[in-house]
Amino acid sequence: MTIASTLGYPRIGRRRELKAALESYWSGQSDEAALLAAAARLREAARTRQQGSGISHIPSGDFALYDHVLETALAFGAIPPGYGWDGEGPASLATLFALARGARGTAAERAAGIAPEAPALEMTKWFDTNYHYLVPRLGPDTQFRLVQDRWTEALREGLAAGTRTRPVVLGPVSFLLLAKGAEGTAPLALLPRLLPAYAALLRNLAEAGAAWVQLDEPCLVTDLPPGAAESYRTAYRALAEAAPGLGLLLATYFGGLEENLPLAAALPVTGLHLDLARAPEQLAPALEVLPRDRWLSLGLVDGRNVWRTDLRAALGLARQAAEAGFGQRLMVGPSCSLLHVPHSLAEETALDPTLKRRLAFAEEKLAEIALLAKGVTEGDAAIAAALAESDAAVAAARQDARLHDPAVAARLAAVTPEMERRESPYAERAKAQQARLKLPPLPVTTIGSFPQTAEVRALRAKLARGEITTAEHDAGLARLTEAAVRWQDEIGVDVPVHGEFERNDMVKYFAEQLAGYAFTKHGWVQSYGSRCVAPPILWGDVARPAPMTVRWAAYAQSLTQLPMKGMLTGPVTMLQWSFVRTDIPREAVCRQIALAIRDEVADLQASGIAIIQIDEPAFREGLPLRRAAQPAYLRWATACFRLAASVAADATQIHTHMCYSEFNDIIAHIAAMDADVISIETARSDMELLRAFAEFDYPNAIGPGVWDIHSPRVPGAEEMAGLLRRAAARVPVERLWVNPDCGCKTRGWAEVRPAVENLVHAARRLRAEAVG
Ligand code: GLN
Ligand code: ZN
C-alpha cells in the first residue's frame, strides 16, 4: 500500500484571502476574531481540497498567519524582550506582528507593552526560494517552553472535522541553524534546552491522536556546520524516546542528502522523505543504506516549479523503491511543501492551451500524487488513461517547435569571449566616462523607482479596465516622469532617473515584452506575510522583438542636461524570479535573456543614454545551497551579466544594483561582473558590508546605500554623511557614490523628497571635507 501525502500547502488562498484578511486587520477595519476566522476557513479549504484529491497524509500546522518559522519561535517561547510578552502562555497577535513587521507605534501596541521602536526581526530567504522567513533571535537567556501548542490545536481542528492530519513541525536542529544567536550565543548550543519543549510537543500530539508527525529538517541537504551532525543524533534520540508510538517522518528537501545520507539514514526515525525532483540520483544510494524497517517518502512531484509531472518517470522511481523492499512502507508526495507554487490552474482561462496542458499548480499536483500512489499500488493499468495523457504531454513538449527559436540558437552559438568583456579595463573606462559625464566627486543618484502613488496605480488600473486610452495613460506617465526629472534637476541630483512609473514589476515589465514568457492571472505565491508574487512562466526561447525601455529613457533624457540613467533588469534576476523551463539548463536560459538585455543596452546607448543600470537583486539568491555547486553558478551568472553589459562602449557607464545582498563571501565574483558602479543595500546593516572591503580590494566604484528605504524614517544629512565617512575609510572617495539602499517605489513622496535632498546635502558635505 502506497500512501499519497503532502508536505505542506499554500496558505495565501486561491484568491489571496489571507492577504485581504491580514491587511484588513492591520488597517483596523476588522478585528482579531475576523482574522482568525478567515485563517480557519483557509485551513479548512486546504484540508477539504487535499482530502477531496485523494491525499491520505494531509499536513496540519503548516499554516501560519505570517511565517511558520516565526510562529515556531513563538510557540516555543523564543521571544525577545520588548515585544510585550510576559513569559507566560501564548503570545498575542500584537507581539506576533510587531516581531514580523516592527512596531507601528499604535495605541494597541502600547497597551500590549510593545516598545514603540521595537524593530522587526531580520527577514531572509528560506533556503534558495523566494519565500522569506523571520530569523528567530536567540540569546543566552532564551528559555524554551511549549507556550502555545499550535500543532496539537491544528491536529484537533482537523479531528473535529473528521480528518486525522499529519502535523508539520520545523525540526529542532534546522530551527536552531536558521536562528541567529545574540551576544555570542551559538544557537546549536541551546539544543539541550530546546529538546524538552519538542518532547512535550510530541507527547501532546501522540496523546491527542496523531499517528505521524512530519519533522522538517531541510538543513540536512546543506553543508552542515561543525557540531550539527552530533546535534542531529542527540536530538532524534531524544525525540524518538519522547513518544515511542508516534511515527516520525524526517523530511528533507531542496536538494540531495549527499554526504549527510548516512547520518539521516541512521537517525532513529520512522520514515525519511527525499526530494527526488531536485535530486533523483539520491534514490539509489538511499535504497542501499536505509534500514528496511523505515518508511520511505518519495518527493516525486516538483514543489518548486509549475511543470506537470512525467508520471511514467516518477512511477519508475517509486517502483524502484518498492522492489528494493519498501513496497509496504512507501509514501509518495511533492518534493517539498507546495507553498512555493500557485494554488490552481482552474482559473487560468487566458493561458495558451498548449502551455496550460504542460502545467500543474498545487491542486493539479495533488491529483498527480494521488495517481502515483494508485499506480504504484495497483499497477499501470489502474491509471492507464492518466499515464497516456502524461506521456502525450511529455511527447508534445519534446516536439513543440515553439520552444526553440533557431535565431536564438544561432546567436548563442556565435557568442565569442570578447562579447563577455568590456573593451578596456575599468581604469581606462573610468577616464573615458569622466571625460564624457563630468560628474562631481561622490555623485548622487537613486536606484530607479519613485513612489508608485495612488495616481500611478489608478492610471494602470484605468487602462486595464478600458476606462482610458493608451494615449491618455501614457500622457499621465509623461507628466509624472517630467515632474520627477525636473525635481531631481532642481535639488542637485547628479545622475537622475526617470522613476519607472510605467513598470508594475521589475521582472514582469520586461518579460511582457520578450518572447518565451507567459503570465498567469492568479498565480500568486507567498513571498512573505501578505506579500505575494506572481512569477512569469519562462517556457520558450527568449528573444527581444523590439526595444523595451528606450522610449521612456529617451523622453526623460530630453528633459534634462544631466546624464539620465537607463534602467534594466538583469538576466540572473529575470531567471530567478520566474518559473523556468527545465528542458534546457538554467545557464542556457540565462544566456538567452542576457542576449536580449544586451540588445537593449545597445539600443539605449545608441539613443544617447550614457549611463545604464542593470539591476541584479536576485544574484545572491541564485547561489546553490551546496558550496561545491557554487563556483559553477557564479561563473555562468557573472558571465551572463557581462554578456548583457559588455556591448557598452568604454564611455558608457554600466551600473548594477543588488539588495538584501549579504555578499561578503562572494565579493570577488561581484567584482568579476565588472560593472563600473555598483549600488548595494547597506544602511540597515550599518555598513556591515564594508567589512568585505577590508579584506578584498574592490576595484570599481561603489554606492553603499545610506538611506534605508524599507523604513518610513527619513535620515538627516548628517546621519548619511556619517555613514559616508565610514565608507570613505574603506573605499577611496573617487570611487564612492551616494545613493539609497534600493528603489523608492514603496515609499511616499513625503519621505522621498526630504530624503533625497538630504542625500544631496550629505554628498556636498563630504565633498567639502574631501577637498579640504
Ligand atoms: N530599479 C529598481 C527600483 O528602483 C530596483 C529594485 C530592486 O532592486 N529590487 O525599483
Ligand atoms: Zn534593491
Side-chain angles (χ1 to χ4, degrees):
M1 168 75 182
T2 301
I3 294 175
S5 71
T6 29
L7 272 65
Y9 205 68
R11 310 162 182 156
I12 204 75
R14 256 183 163 209
R15 287 296 173 106
R16 286 186 291 165
E17 291 87 345
L18 180 59
K19 178 186 177 67
L22 282 170
E23 285 171 359
S24 149
Y25 175 75
W26 290 334
S27 70
Q29 281 165 311
S30 61
D31 60 8
E32 176 163 343
L35 174 60
L36 297 182
R41 278 196 300 277
L42 284 166
R43 290 193 296 268
E44 191 198 347
R47 267 196 319 267
T48 313
R49 174 73 57 185
Q50 294 177 85
Q51 198 155 34
S53 304
I55 304 296
S56 347
H57 279 200
I58 294 169
S60 63
D62 56 329
F63 182 82
L65 278 174
Y66 200 96
D67 164 46
H68 62 280
V69 181
L70 173 61
E71 287 170 43
T72 302
L74 290 178
F76 288 117
I79 307 173
Y83 292 86
W85 183 62
D86 62 7
E88 293 299 326
S92 66
L93 284 190
T95 296
L96 166 69
F97 291 130
L99 284 160
R101 313 167 68 221
R104 309 269 136 169
T106 63
E109 284 173 353
R110 271 195 302 280
I114 294 166
E117 299 279 283
L121 289 180
E122 191 182 313
M123 194 166 68
T124 194
K125 300 259 171 189
W126 175 244
F127 297 86
D128 59 354
T129 74
N130 201 9
Y131 175 80
H132 301 70
Y133 76 96
L134 289 149
V135 182
R137 210 191 299 144
L138 310 177
D141 301 327
T142 308
Q143 297 298 337
F144 300 101
R145 263 174 315 118
L146 185 60
V147 296
Q148 175 169 26
D149 190 347
R150 56 193 297 281
W151 296 277
T152 304
E153 284 166 27
L155 176 73
R156 291 217 168 95
E157 183 181 66
L159 287 170
T163 311
R164 180 148 74 165
T165 53
R166 182 170 90 191
V168 179
V169 187
L170 178 57
V173 181
S174 288
F175 173 73
L176 291 175
L177 289 173
L178 293 168
K180 212 170 176 173
E183 300 165 53
T185 309
L188 224 42
L190 300 177
L191 185 68
R193 281 192 220 168
L194 177 60
L195 286 178
Y198 268 81
L201 166 63
L202 297 191
R203 281 192 298 271
N204 288 354
L205 288 173
E207 212 167 283
W212 282 90
V213 56
Q214 173 186 324
L215 289 153
D216 284 359
E217 291 285 5
C219 287
L220 278 169
V221 310
T222 65
D223 304 316
L224 288 177
E230 198 43 47
S231 297
Y232 271 112
R233 284 188 281 266
T234 310
Y236 283 84
R237 219 178 296 129
L239 297 188
E241 280 166 17
L246 186 62
L248 303 186
L249 180 69
L250 180 71
T252 67
Y253 45 80
F254 300 151
L257 282 163
E258 300 181 18
E259 79 285 2
N260 299 328
L261 173 63
L263 167 69
L267 294 176
V269 291
T270 324
L272 177 65
H273 174 85
L274 301 175
D275 179 341
L276 298 183
R278 273 279 174 89
E281 71 286 350
Q282 69 174 332
L283 179 61
L287 292 177
E288 257 168 49
V289 299
L290 198 64
R292 290 300 182 271
D293 62 348
R294 299 287 203 278
W295 283 73
L296 186 54
S297 168
L298 306 178
L300 296 169
V301 169
D302 193 349
R304 293 288 299 276
N305 214 332
V306 292
W307 305 105
R308 168 182 197 142
T309 306
D310 178 345
L311 289 181
R312 197 171 293 279
L315 217 45
L317 291 174
R319 292 247 160 77
Q320 214 179 309
E323 279 155 22
F326 292 94
Q328 296 311 308
R329 282 182 291 278
L330 202 59
M331 299 179 194
V332 293
S335 56
C336 59
S337 167
L338 295 172
L339 181 68
H340 310 288
V341 293
H343 271 266
S344 163
L345 262 182
E347 290 170 272
E348 299 299 336
T349 46
L351 270 180
D352 172 275
T354 334
L355 174 62
K356 192 171 170 182
R357 191 170 165 215
R358 264 174 230 156
L359 299 175
F361 293 175
E363 287 179 10
E364 294 74 29
K365 287 177 192 283
L366 294 176
E368 294 180 335
I369 293 162
L371 281 164
L372 286 170
K374 192 170 166 118
V376 183
T377 310
E378 298 172 28
D380 284 8
I383 58 163
L387 263 184
E389 164 68 15
S390 167
D391 290 345
V394 171
R398 263 198 210 117
Q399 288 152 12
D400 188 350
R402 297 182 319 160
L403 285 171
H404 307 288
D405 177 346
V408 172
R411 281 197 71 193
L412 275 174
V415 170
T416 60
E418 289 71 49
M419 290 167 72
E420 290 174 9
R421 267 199 306 270
R422 297 287 293 278
E423 228 163 279
S424 311
Y426 169 75
E428 277 168 53
R429 300 196 309 260
K431 273 188 219 129
Q433 290 160 20
Q434 190 49 21
R436 177 181 184 189
L437 299 168
K438 304 192 177 56
L439 294 170
L442 295 136
V444 176
T445 191
T446 61
I447 306 304
S449 58
F450 281 134
Q452 290 268 326
T453 53
E455 189 185 357
V456 180
R457 289 197 302 265
L459 277 173
R460 197 174 295 137
K462 281 185 188 155
L463 179 68
R465 287 196 299 263
E467 288 166 27
I468 54 172
T469 63
T470 305
E472 285 166 325
H473 167 262
D474 291 0
L477 290 183
R479 260 195 324 274
L480 291 160
T481 306
E482 179 177 357
V485 174
R486 299 230 184 279
W487 166 72
Q488 293 170 84
D489 222 328
E490 261 164 47
I491 66 163
V493 167
D494 303 297
V495 174
V497 296
H498 76 285
E500 300 182 19
F501 301 111
E502 76 286 10
R503 305 180 190 177
N504 48 354
D505 176 289
M506 65 184 290
V507 169
K508 197 171 180 208
Y509 181 76
F510 290 92
E512 278 173 343
Q513 303 184 67
L514 292 169
Y517 272 101
F519 306 88
T520 60
K521 272 204 200 126
H522 306 283
W524 298 104
V525 178
Q526 191 177 22
S527 174
Y528 59 88
S530 62
R531 272 288 288 253
C532 302
V533 291
I537 299 172
L538 203 175
W539 62 273
D541 280 357
V542 175
R544 189 205 68 147
M548 304 183 282
T549 63
V550 173
R551 175 177 161 220
W552 286 111
Y555 169 67
Q557 182 64 85
S558 76
L559 302 167
T560 177
Q561 299 298 315
L562 296 169
M564 177 61 54
K565 185 158 68 167
M567 283 301 150
L568 304 175
T569 300
V572 181
T573 300
M574 292 293 297
L575 182 82
Q576 271 314 115
W577 290 352
S578 305
F579 285 120
V580 181
R581 64 195 288 191
T582 53
D583 59 325
I584 60 174
R586 283 175 82 77
E587 170 182 357
V589 180
C590 198
R591 285 175 81 76
Q592 295 181 1
I593 309 171
L595 280 178
I597 304 296
R598 180 182 174 94
D599 292 346
E600 191 68 15
V601 171
D603 284 342
L604 280 172
Q605 175 170 257
S607 79
I609 297 292
I611 304 184
I612 299 168
Q613 178 172 310
I614 307 174
D615 291 325
E616 284 291 20
F619 191 86
R620 178 71 170 78
E621 77 185 53
L623 201 61
L625 295 174
R626 294 287 196 165
R627 267 190 296 277
Q630 291 174 357
Y633 163 78
L634 289 165
R635 236 182 341 266
W636 65 252
T638 47
C640 284
F641 180 88
R642 287 199 312 264
L643 179 58
S646 297
V647 71
D650 282 353
T652 301
Q653 190 169 69
I654 295 290
H655 289 217
T656 189
H657 165 72
M658 297 185 178
C659 31
Y660 299 112
S661 292
E662 302 157 8
F663 52 52
N664 288 4
D665 51 339
I666 56 167
I667 184 89
H669 301 276
I670 305 289
M673 290 165 73
D674 200 22
D676 296 302
V677 183
I678 180 170
S679 60
I680 41 180
E681 175 182 305
T682 37
R684 251 202 304 198
S685 63
D686 204 22
M687 302 270 133
E688 190 183 314
L689 174 103
L690 292 169
R691 258 192 283 134
F693 295 84
E695 284 135 46
F696 181 84
D697 202 3
Y698 185 78
N700 304 3
I702 177 160
V706 292
W707 161 34
D708 171 14
I709 59 87
H710 301 283
S711 149
R713 203 175 134 262
V714 175
E718 190 42 43
E719 182 180 332
M720 295 180 180
L723 291 173
L724 286 170
R725 282 185 203 107
R726 287 173 59 190
R730 290 277 160 82
V731 181
V733 274
E734 313 82 72
R735 287 198 266 121
L736 208 51
W737 280 64
V738 179
N739 49 257
D741 262 353
C742 194
C744 305
K745 59 172 168 260
T746 55
R747 296 263 68 91
W749 279 108
E751 298 139 1
V752 171
R753 269 199 205 91
V756 177
E757 283 173 23
N758 290 347
L759 278 178
V760 173
H761 294 309
R764 287 189 183 147
R765 236 168 258 191
L766 263 275
R767 280 173 206 155
E769 290 168 20
V771 179

